[in-house]
């Protein structure tokens, strides 16, 4: 179990780096997701081919996985758009609400009882977000996009927690990346016509962009995404998403290194981020205490 949590934290560190990559890459959010998912499909397809691993599933299962992939794609577009509109730190702080959304969605979808400590952790995170909103009001659009992205992240995490009981994690990732690529492909002409004032799309990345896009696609997506799906076989969706709340902590530290963002943020932001961190760190203690109490009461 310790090894699983250690791997999960490394994955979250990679995800924290994605916001940095989103700012290092020059092309807009939608075009970025298009290339990220396309390279991820190619990389994962090569791995599956070398391993001679079959991805055959019934048609209904493939449709469900591809549909879930469209949610992943929309989540990523909103995520990178948030980083561009505000900054990496604001974007990552909004992503910390994943556990709040999951505490509501997971019991409903999986027909489980609501855990009191999950609700408490979610409420503490809301308090942290309130502090951030209050002191970083000028970043409301970016934070709102991040909140929407976090909600979609929670939706597909809860759905994937059910898929992992039936299918191999790399098969899940392969079809979901196809779904994410398809939604970005279909969205390109819509985006150009309605949101980009008919201006040409930026579909030709710069030479340096390709390096960062490959890191984003193969390290932060193929490895990190597939490994996180595999971990869901042993960890609950809420536990995964609560650990993902450390993504802003890792990401903010990286943003300070790459962009000196710590000089642009108020003390209120760090106060809110600290509250969120408290919720993350106390969750395992609350869960352990509640499990012990339940075992004693059941004797």
């Amino acid at each position: 179990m310790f090894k699983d949590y250690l791997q999960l934290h490394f994955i979250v560190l990679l995800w924290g780096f994605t916001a940095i990559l989103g700012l290092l890459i020059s092309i807009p959010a939608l075009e970025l997701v298009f290339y990220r998912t396309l390279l991820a499909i190619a990389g994962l397809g090569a791995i599956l081919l070398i391993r001679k691993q079959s991805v055959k599933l019934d048609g209904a299962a493939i449709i469900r996985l591809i549909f879930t992939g469209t949610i992943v794609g929309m989540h990523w577009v909103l995520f990178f758009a948030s980083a561009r509109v505000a900054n990496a730190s604001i974007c990552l702080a909004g992503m910390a609400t994943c556990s709040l959304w999951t505490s509501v969605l997971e019991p409903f979808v999986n027909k489980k009882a609501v855990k009191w400590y999950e609700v408490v952790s979610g409420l503490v995170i809301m308090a942290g977000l309130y502090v951030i909103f209050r002191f970083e009001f000028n970043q409301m659009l970016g934070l709102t996009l991040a909140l929407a992205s976090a909600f979609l992240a929670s939706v597909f995490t809860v759905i994937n927690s059910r898929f992992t009981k039936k299918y191999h994690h790399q098969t899940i990732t392969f079809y979901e990346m196809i779904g994410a690529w398809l939604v970005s492909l279909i969205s390109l002409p819509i985006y150009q016509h309605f949101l980009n004032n008919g201006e040409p799309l930026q579909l030709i990345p710069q030479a340096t962009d390709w390096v960062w896009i490959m890191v984003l696609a193969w390290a932060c997506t193929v490895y990190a995404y597939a490994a996180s799906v595999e971990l869901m076989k042993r960890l609950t969706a809420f536990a995964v998403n609560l650990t993902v709340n450390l993504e802003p902590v890792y990401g903010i530290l990286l943003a300070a290194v790459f962009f000196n963002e710590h000089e642009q943020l108020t003390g209120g932001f760090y106060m809110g981020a600290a509250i969120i961190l408290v919720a993350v760190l106390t969750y395992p203690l609350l869960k352990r205490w509640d499990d012990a109490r339940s075992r004693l009461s059941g004797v």
Side-chain angles (χ1 to χ4, degrees):
M1 185 66 73
F2 175 77
K3 183 180 178 182
D4 289 339
Y5 278 108
L6 192 63
Q7 184 182 16
L8 181 58
H9 278 275
F10 177 67
I11 291 168
V12 173
L13 178 64
L14 288 177
W15 284 340
F17 191 54
T18 59
I20 309 301
L21 290 173
L23 294 176
L24 291 173
I25 297 168
S26 65
I27 59 176
L30 185 57
E31 290 92 321
L32 174 54
V33 172
F34 173 83
Y35 282 114
R36 175 186 188 174
T37 51
L38 184 61
L39 288 179
I41 293 168
L44 188 54
I47 293 172
L48 294 171
L49 189 63
I50 292 170
R51 293 181 177 178
K52 298 180 180 179
Q53 182 177 323
S54 174
V55 293
K56 289 184 178 179
L57 297 174
D58 63 87
I62 291 174
I63 291 173
R64 286 195 296 270
L65 289 171
I66 289 177
F67 174 75
T68 305
T70 65
I71 299 174
V72 176
M74 290 185 289
H75 150 67
W76 281 338
V77 170
L78 291 172
F79 176 85
F80 290 120
S82 171
R84 298 286 176 87
V85 169
N87 56 48
S89 299
I90 293 292
C91 170
L92 291 164
M95 286 301 300
T97 59
C98 278
S99 61
L100 172 62
W101 300 122
T102 307
S103 68
V104 176
L105 291 171
E106 188 174 26
F108 176 76
V109 173
N110 295 330
K111 298 179 180 178
K112 295 168 55 179
V114 176
K115 302 291 180 61
W116 67 268
Y117 52 85
E118 294 182 356
V119 175
V120 169
S121 297
L123 291 174
V124 172
I125 289 170
M126 282 185 66
L129 280 172
Y130 171 76
V131 173
I132 294 174
F133 260 124
R134 186 175 178 183
F135 287 91
E136 299 288 344
F137 188 78
N138 60 321
Q139 305 285 7
M140 180 172 286
L141 176 58
L143 191 52
T144 301
L145 291 172
L147 292 174
S149 178
F151 174 76
L152 293 179
S154 297
V155 170
F156 77 72
T157 301
V158 171
I159 294 173
N160 273 348
S161 68
R162 306 185 74 177
F163 287 151
T164 54
K165 297 177 176 64
K166 300 179 181 180
Y167 315 119
H168 191 275
H169 62 280
Q170 289 183 335
T171 302
I172 294 171
T173 304
F174 180 72
Y175 285 115
E176 289 185 348
M177 288 303 100
I178 292 175
W181 177 75
L182 284 174
V183 76
S184 65
L185 177 65
I186 294 170
S187 299
L188 284 172
I190 299 172
Y191 168 77
Q192 180 183 13
H193 183 73
F194 292 103
L195 300 176
N196 206 36
N197 299 319
E199 294 293 325
L201 297 169
Q202 298 182 35
L203 288 173
I204 304 178
Q206 299 176 7
T208 53
D209 285 343
W210 283 113
V211 176
W212 296 123
I213 291 173
M214 286 188 285
V215 172
L216 180 63
W218 294 333
C220 301
T221 306
V222 172
Y223 163 72
Y225 189 87
S228 69
V229 172
E230 198 272 337
L231 285 174
M232 288 179 200
K233 294 179 180 178
R234 299 181 295 278
L235 303 175
T236 67
F238 186 85
V240 171
N241 269 338
L242 195 74
T243 306
V244 170
N245 286 331
L246 285 173
E247 184 179 337
V249 178
Y250 296 143
I252 289 165
L253 292 174
L254 290 169
V257 173
F258 280 84
F259 304 117
N260 293 321
E261 285 191 2
H262 61 288
E263 299 176 357
Q264 306 167 19
L265 298 168
T266 65
F269 172 83
Y270 291 107
M271 187 187 303
I275 293 172
I276 292 170
L277 180 59
V278 167
V280 173
L281 295 178
T282 56
Y283 168 76
L285 300 176
L286 292 174
K287 183 178 186 302
R288 184 179 300 178
W289 179 81
D290 188 69
D291 289 344
R293 185 179 62 85
S294 298
R295 286 194 298 269
L296 288 174
S297 63
V299 174

